[in-house]
Amino acid sequence: MFWVGLGKFLRSSSPSTDTFGTMSAHAGTRTWGIGMLSYTAPEADLGFLLFDLFQAPERWASSEGTAHLDADLAQAILSEGGRLASEVFSPLMQSGDEEGCHLEGGQVRTPAGFKAAYEAYAQGGWMGLAGDPAFGGQGMPKQLCVALEEMFFAANASLYLYPALSAGACVLLAAHGSEAQKAQWLPPLYEGRFSGTMCLTEPHAGSDLSLLRTRAEPQGDGSFSVSGSKIFITGGEHDLTENIVHFVLARTPDAPPGNRGLSLFLVPKFLLTAGGTLGDRNAVAVGSIEHKMGIKGSATCVMNFDEARGWLVGEEGRGLAAMFTMMNYERLSIGLQGLGTADLAFQNALAYAKERRQGRDPQGSREEADSLLVHPDVRRMLLTQKAFNEGGRAFASYVAMMLDQARYGTTTEARAEGEAFAAFLTPIAKAFFSDRGLECCVLAQQVLGGHGYLAEWGLEQCVRDTRIAQIYEGTNGIQAMDLADRKTAREQGRTAMALLASLRAACPPEGPWGQEVSGALDTFQRATEALVAGAAEDPTFAGAVAADYLELTGLVLYACLWQRMVPAALRAAQAGRVPTRFAEDKRTTGAFFMAKLLPKITLLEQTLKAGSAPLMAAAL
Ligand SMILES: Cc1cc2nc3c(=O)[nH]c(=O)nc-3n(C[C@H](O)[C@H](O)[C@H](O)COP(=O)(O)OP(=O)(O)OC[C@H]3O[C@@H](n4cnc5c(N)ncnc54)[C@H](O)[C@@H]3O)c2cc1C
């Protein structure tokens, strides 16, 4: 069980002081050397969200599925996860980038140290943290797991992608696999002995999966023979685990064209014997690995299936719907990649700004030169990062709370609401986190001036690594379409309006920045109405305004969360759970968000209302 593994990393953790002054909400020890990226797990902020803002332990206690978790255990898990991230994952981030992955004789070699770090992760019980207890998982709620995901992604996105894909594969199998498949494959996946992949993309079929050509022929013994080529497969081949379990979308012989003809197959690298041990090598092999801009320690593989043995998962013809279980899991996860790396970049930019002396304080100075922190423009860059990162962290926790409500809610209505809200919020989390993530990494790089452009400081790696989060797992354009078209226009804004009602109830006008937040909610309402009305008249409308709508909605949601965080932080400070400075810090950062970032929604409403004509009229 988890607490056995936990002991492996357990050391006494004490509330630590803030190393970098009032601008940082981070706590923990930090080792920072010139020219090295350093990561401190934001344990204090994550704990504040779980225990003070969302009061998660009360909900955990009220549901049978989560009653095994209490605040003390959650705190211990957070601390140990943070320690593993900062002490084991983080030191390999830059060396992993320099070395990258190599394909040698049909085998992918991951960078030095990755295997040992992965083993520490697997042996500590982290792989099965959210897993089904019936098959060896630990059944931890998503709200706790997203906090850990953010830290592992921040510490080393390339390395964490391997377990992140496996975790999504487990969720997929737990939801759609037969009992026999679950019994056979989930335990080794939860133990981290096996890893998982998602095999969708083909050379001619990326966003449009209806074009997929990989074929699966029934063999008459319950198995299928799978043939085709998949590209861009994350973790398709590597040296971290004994076996790799591929989840492959393919067409059976009489399948209709389009999405309804797709079925999902489990295709292992090694077949299993009747006793569950590794048997023959299956006919699936890596053809090549991609050379790419970032996440160089993550193997991105061309995978060739040449009459490989596979087994149907779920119903024939329902493969895409089943695969969406994994895709939705990974979408939130990839959002957390953007968020985590942005926090890593911020921490390092802030530390640099405090030490670097250039120019004099405009308010007066006797020094030859003052710290960069005195300059309003540097403060703008740092506070933008801080406000987006802490707002994003709260948003991630909120989405996860909705996922937990969908799963563990005590009434049918509560579960339905959780499911609808989580579906609406997931594309926002994926795209808004990764867009803001890149923006914040570039700002962090800018804080370092020319040094930010040099490889040795690591900020340029943050920029390169984060860029992919906007592209894979469905581009951010596709996320925006999913939100604006499928999840809003096509259902006449039903979920958006239900969410709006819940936000109005949670964020009353008498709260901090009541006028700004009420105004933002009104803007969200008008934008949703304009989207629904425009889409009813014009087939290009939703696509034309999708990016505006997603960004506007993201900003409005962050405003609501910033409003709620301030009194919660004050209460936590009064109860002695966080330092007074933590609460003050939330108030000043929230004020920055309301004054400097939220007003963009006025512009976005205007561009949304400009509709599709300016886009469709131009001859390209
Ligand atoms: C490093 C890396 C790792 C990856 N890992 C995996 C993996 O593990 N498994 C896997 O299956 N795939 C993986 N992918 C593939 C990735 O998910 C796709 O690249 C992505 O979904 C986009 O598909 P595409 O590249 O074919 O672009 P296209 O689909 O050709 O899109 C090109 C552009 O057109 C836009 N576009 C396309 N269709 C529409 C539309 N209907 N409406 C509006 N805009 C549209 C897109 O937003 C994009 O900007 C990975 C890719 C990379 C680079």
Side-chain angles (χ1 to χ4, degrees), residues 178-353:
S178 65
E179 288 307 305
Q181 285 172 332
K182 289 193 262 187
Q184 188 166 37
W185 299 102
L186 279 178
L189 280 163
Y190 288 155
E191 287 164 28
R193 291 193 290 114
F194 295 2
S195 64
T197 73
M198 57 193 299
C199 296
L200 288 73
T201 309
E202 295 176 10
H204 58 284
S207 304
D208 187 354
L209 296 171
S210 70
L211 302 174
L212 294 180
R213 289 185 193 142
T214 297
R215 307 205 61 81
E217 307 269 349
Q219 298 301 290
D221 62 353
S223 75
F224 287 75
S225 167
V226 178
S227 298
S229 213
K230 298 282 181 181
I231 64 166
F232 293 156
I233 303 309
T234 299
E237 178 60 49
H238 57 76
D239 55 3
L240 303 180
T241 57
E242 296 167 18
N243 201 357
I244 302 175
V245 190
H246 303 286
F247 288 90
V248 185
L249 278 182
R251 283 181 200 287
T252 46
D254 302 323
N259 289 337
R260 282 185 302 127
L262 294 172
S263 302
L264 180 64
F265 297 90
L266 184 160
V267 184
K269 173 176 166 182
F270 287 101
L271 302 170
L272 296 189
T273 63
T277 55
L278 292 193
D280 293 339
R281 178 77 201 242
N282 204 357
V284 48
V286 56
S288 59
I289 57 173
E290 306 298 348
H291 301 278
K292 47 195 198 292
M293 175 178 176
I295 54 162
K296 291 177 189 269
S298 167
T300 308
C301 306
V302 171
M303 297 303 299
N304 297 319
F305 296 83
D306 186 11
E307 299 185 357
R309 278 190 88 189
W311 287 267
L312 184 68
V313 177
E315 281 175 49
E316 198 170 331
R318 300 273 305 145
L320 189 58
M323 193 50 124
F324 255 102
T325 304
M326 183 165 180
M327 281 153 78
N328 282 329
Y329 180 94
E330 300 300 345
R331 284 177 176 182
L332 178 54
S333 202
I334 294 312
L336 291 163
Q337 179 190 347
L339 181 62
T341 309
D343 189 47
L344 170 73
F346 167 69
Q347 291 186 25
N348 286 275
L350 177 60
Y352 183 90

Side-chain angles (χ1 to χ4, degrees), residues 90-102:
S90 176
L92 300 172
M93 180 175 162
Q94 282 170 282
S95 58
D97 179 62
E98 277 160 27
E99 185 181 340
C101 290
H102 296 277

Side-chain angles (χ1 to χ4, degrees), residues 38 92 121 134 216-217 223 228 242 282 384 394 449 454 520 523 530 534 544 584 592:
S38 160
L92 300 172
Y121 180 90
E217 307 269 349
S223 75
E242 296 167 18
N282 204 357
T384 300
L454 304 188
T523 307
E584 178 57 14
F592 170 83

Side-chain angles (χ1 to χ4, degrees), residues 53-108:
L53 182 68
F54 294 118
Q55 302 183 341
E58 284 173 28
R59 265 174 294 106
W60 296 337
S62 68
S63 170
E64 207 182 313
T66 51
H68 58 302
L69 181 62
D70 62 17
D72 286 344
L73 180 57
Q75 184 63 63
I77 293 172
L78 272 186
S79 299
E80 291 314 305
R83 200 180 307 283
L84 182 64
S86 57
E87 293 181 6
V88 179
F89 276 42
S90 176
L92 300 172
M93 180 175 162
Q94 282 170 282
S95 58
D97 179 62
E98 277 160 27
E99 185 181 340
C101 290
H102 296 277
L103 180 60
E104 291 160 358
Q107 292 285 317
V108 170

Side-chain angles (χ1 to χ4, degrees), residues 95 125 146 152 178 221 238 245 299 355 389 420 451 463 478 512 518 529:
S95 58
V146 289
F152 288 124
S178 65
D221 62 353
H238 57 76
V245 190
E355 293 192 1
N389 293 347
H451 300 276
V463 173
I478 295 295
S518 298
E529 286 163 358

